[in-house]
Structure formats: structure tokens, C-alpha cells
Amino acid sequence: FKNESADSTNLYFVNGLMESALNNLQKIKDLRVISRTSVEKYRNTDKGIPEIAAELNVNYLVEGSGQRVGDQVLLNIQLIEASSDTPIWVEQYNQEVVDIFALQNDIAKKITDAIKAVVTPAELEQIEKKPTENLVAYDYYIQALESRTDKGLKQAIELFEKAIEEDSEFALAYAHIAISYYLLEMSQSEKLYIEKINSYSDKALLYDSKSAESLTSKAFYYIQTKEYKLALPHLEKALEYNPNSSLAVQMLADFYFRLVPNTDKYLKYALKGFQLNVASDSVTQSYTCLQLSNALVSSGFADEALKYINMSLDYHSENYYAPHLKAFILYARDGNLERTQNLLLKEWKKDTTRLDILQDVGKLYYIQENYDSAYFYFKKFVTARESSGLDIYAQENIKIATVYKKMGLEKKAEIFFNKFSKYCEADNSVYKSVNLVWKYAYMGKIDKAIEQLKIFSKVDNYQYWFLLIEDDPLIKSLKSHPEFEGIMQKIKDRFWENQAKLKTSLQKERLL
């Protein structure tokens, strides 16, 4: 939508109209509606409708121009079929601002009628629900949405609070304050706003329990308190009530990658997020491709992962993480360890503060049983990790312990082994049994290690890299056990059988 008001400050109002129209359409499961940020770059473009539609992978575009004159809203809007560049619905609105919600609802209904989309009674009820009866509150709210950038979060919170002062039951305003507080401290080790997030999200749910924003804001509270099992149903409900919520999809992808690992679901939501978000700039698009590439290789789709990691680098050749991931994707394709090692060393030399690459280089030397070189890199990693007070890569402590032991540093090796043992005790992920395999192998308890390997052979939804554990020096000690080869074959067969099912499922959903 273009702002044609004489007053340029009315841009936020036109953007608010656009956001609300999209938000109504996003509640319809029969449609795929991409986010407003994805189309922002086309606001002043010279590109034609077919070209824009091809770039966004959509069949229809909604285009409009609007202006606000006092309490009057003038809006011209049309729905265009992309393939023929033909308007299939055109409407002119000239209404008072007090009728703004009726206008937004009318737009959604007429668009769905024009393209014959299926709208369920429950979806219609959600579309017709007014966010607030107070237009001053709504005005503050859409101003806040417009100002909520990384640097404008505190300003946005102030505007959302003004909206609540006008309407104390404004669920969306409460939800967005909670979300803004979460974003403020998302990357901070010290959490200052946990109770604020909890309080505002509870208010949001009190006044609208079916709002995707209310539900997501409460999920953020549980993520901050590390109560992941309580966060998940809120994210799933948010997506149920708003099937096109890019925020809910993005959070579910992150949830199944980082918080509660599940490769099948991680890939599903990464693919869905890729479809909903066509980034407005090449850098953001590069990182979107990076995440999808990582999700693909984690599920064993190495060829597809290579395609998207190359796209990531095409969009932004300076992507900080893409070369690191690409080295491992190439390894997944052909198992060339020497090339992987050389590529990682090349990246690490560009920035020797990269602890993610440093521990991987140490790990590759460890796998080759080149313990002198593994010690050289692991020692650098351990020193940097300790001096920075970081609690990262705890799962690699068993490999570090092995290397230190091989170097005759028994006491230090024991420290790392004890840290790994504590990590295993607290581990409730799908990787618990395989981590115990490493623990018992280190201790020389071969039968116990084999028992845990049997348990792991019945696990699903783990990363492709765990198929390669038999190359690990610790695991080699298990190879003399008569059951080892049979169990490893079961692990491999189960992984590829599940991957085939996943591929079929994703193709049915038109995600892959």
C-alpha cells in the first residue's frame, strides 16, 4: 500500500492498514500469505507484477494506495492475478476512521471470495474480532509496530503502553510489549525482564486467548525460564490460530533446532519459514538460506543443503557462518576429511576468535587420531572458553578429555570427563543414549556402551552426523564386540527409512 496523504507522518497509518489486512488473511489455512517485511522492498519498485510475483512465489498480489484526511480514510485497492497481470477485484473505500475495522474485514472477505479460498467458521470469527473499540489506542498501537526496530524497542514499548492506557483490555498491545521485552534481552546472559514478559503475556491471554501474538508472548516467557515443554503448546496453538504467522514458524524452527532437538520438525518449519519470508534485503535472505541449509543437511539432504548454502553465499558472500557450514555439507556428500579440515583452517585464520571453528578443527584432528594437533587446537579452545566464562560445546568435553589423556595430562582429562558426566546426567534430549555410549567407551565399559548404542538404535529425529560415530576413536573400541556391526546397521537403516518417509511427507505438504 502506498501513502498518498499530504502528511507523510500518516505512513504508519497506511502501513497499519496493510498489516491488519495481511493479518486477517494470514488466519486462513487455505492461503499462503507472506509477511509484510517481505514485500516492503517493492513499495517504490519499477518491477512489473509478474516479476514481483515470480520473486515472491505467489499467485496473487494485493495493491493499494491510501490517504487519511482528518477522520476520513480514502483507499483504492485491487487484487491482481499475477500470471495475467489482471485485476480480478477492485474497490474504492471512502469511510470514516471509526469504520476502519469493518473496512479491514471487508477487504479480507472480498479477497477470499475472489480467489475462492475456503474460510472456516472459526477463521471467520477470528477475522471479525475487533482488536479494540478505542481508535486512539489503535493509533498508538500501529505507531508502535512501525517504530519497533532493533534500536526502537524501548520507544515501541512506550507507545504500546500508551495504547493500554487508552484501552486496558487491548490484548495485542499487551502481547507486543511482552514480545518487545523478550527481544530486548534475548541475547543477554542476565535476564531483567522475565516477570514483565510473564505479566504482560498473561494479560494478553486474559483478553484474547486465541491470538497468535498472545500465545507466542507466553511461549517467550517459558523459553526465558527454560520450561520448554510449557512453551511448545503455546507456539503450536499460535500456528493453529494463525497458520501463516512467520513469528510462530520461526520460533518453532529455532525450538526444534536449539532447545528440544528434532530434525524432522526443524526441517519442516525451516522450509515453511523460507516460503513465508522472502527477505527485503540480500543479507537477511542469506541467513534465511543458511538456516534452511543447516536444517536440510541435519536430516541427510546433503545435495539440497549444498544448493541453499550456495544461494546463501550468492546473496551475501561475507556471510559469517556459511563457509563453515559449507565445509561440512561437502564432507557429508563425499567424506573428504582433508578438504574439510583445510577449509575450516582457512576460515579460522580469517578470525582466530571463532571458537565454533576452533573446536571443530580440534575434533577433526581427534577423529584422525592426530592427538598432537588435536591438543594444540583444543587447548586454544579450552583457554578461550574458560577466560570468557562461556558454557558452550559441553558435549565435546569427552573428546577433549580423550586428547588430554593421550597427551599424558591425566588430571586435566579427568576434569573434562567429570564435566561431560554431569552434562549426561542433565541431558534429556534424543542424544542422551549416544552421549552415554561415549562416556562408557571412555571408561572401558564396553558392554554398557553397547547397551546404550542399542537404545540409540531405536531413536528417531537426530542429526545426520551421528551416523558417522563409528569413525570416532572412542567408538572404535566397541568394534570388537560381536553386536556392534549389527547395531550400527540398524541405526543407519532406520535413519534412511525415516528420511524417505519425511521426504514423502514434506512433498505432500508442498514444502520440499
Side-chain angles (χ1 to χ4, degrees), residues 161-334:
E161 285 174 340
K162 285 184 177 181
I164 289 168
E165 286 172 14
E166 296 292 334
D167 179 0
S168 60
E169 298 183 5
F170 195 171
L172 279 174
Y174 283 114
H176 280 287
I177 291 179
I179 291 168
S180 298
Y181 275 122
Y182 171 80
L183 295 173
L184 265 178
E185 65 176 14
M186 182 172 59
S187 303
Q188 303 299 315
S189 56
E190 188 179 0
K191 307 300 184 187
L192 303 173
Y193 303 118
I194 288 178
E195 284 313 309
K196 283 183 180 289
I197 296 168
N198 188 33
S199 173
Y200 282 115
S201 62
D202 279 346
K203 285 281 184 71
L205 284 168
L206 175 66
Y207 297 121
D208 190 349
S209 61
K210 293 184 178 180
S211 158
E213 291 82 2
S214 299
L215 288 156
T216 305
S217 68
K218 189 64 177 181
F220 283 159
Y221 165 71
Y222 287 125
I223 288 169
Q224 290 297 68
T225 57
K226 298 185 178 180
E227 297 173 275
Y228 304 134
K229 287 184 179 178
L230 296 175
L232 181 57
H234 287 83
L235 290 172
E236 290 176 335
K237 275 289 180 187
L239 199 59
E240 181 185 329
Y241 292 129
N242 189 337
N244 291 279
S245 169
S246 57
L247 177 62
V249 169
Q250 180 186 338
M251 287 309 304
L252 281 162
D254 184 62
F255 184 90
Y256 286 117
F257 170 57
R258 189 171 55 88
L259 305 178
V260 180
N262 182 311
T263 49
D264 286 13
K265 290 182 178 179
Y266 174 37
L267 179 54
K268 175 184 174 181
Y269 290 113
L271 285 163
K272 194 171 179 67
F274 187 79
Q275 286 190 353
L276 291 175
N277 284 295
V278 183
S280 56
D281 64 272
S282 58
V283 174
T284 306
Q285 190 68 356
S286 175
Y287 283 94
T288 302
C289 291
L290 175 82
Q291 185 192 51
L292 178 53
S293 180
N294 186 48
L296 285 160
V297 77
S298 295
S299 289
F301 295 98
D303 290 337
E304 293 86 346
L306 185 61
K307 170 188 168 184
Y308 285 101
I309 202 64
N310 286 335
M311 282 174 64
S312 175
L313 287 163
D314 286 343
Y315 277 115
H316 181 50
S317 60
E318 300 301 311
N319 186 308
Y320 194 63
Y321 300 104
H324 184 190
L325 179 59
K326 184 173 180 178
F328 278 103
I329 292 169
L330 291 170
Y331 179 64
R333 291 184 83 207
D334 59 27

Side-chain angles (χ1 to χ4, degrees), residues 54-82:
E55 289 181 10
L56 297 174
N57 189 27
V58 294
N59 297 324
Y60 303 93
L61 280 97
V62 180
E63 187 179 70
S65 60
Q67 58 181 305
R68 179 178 177 178
V69 182
D71 291 330
Q72 203 73 9
V73 178
L74 309 174
L75 181 66
N76 296 302
I77 188 167
Q78 56 183 348
L79 173 71
I80 302 166
E81 186 176 55

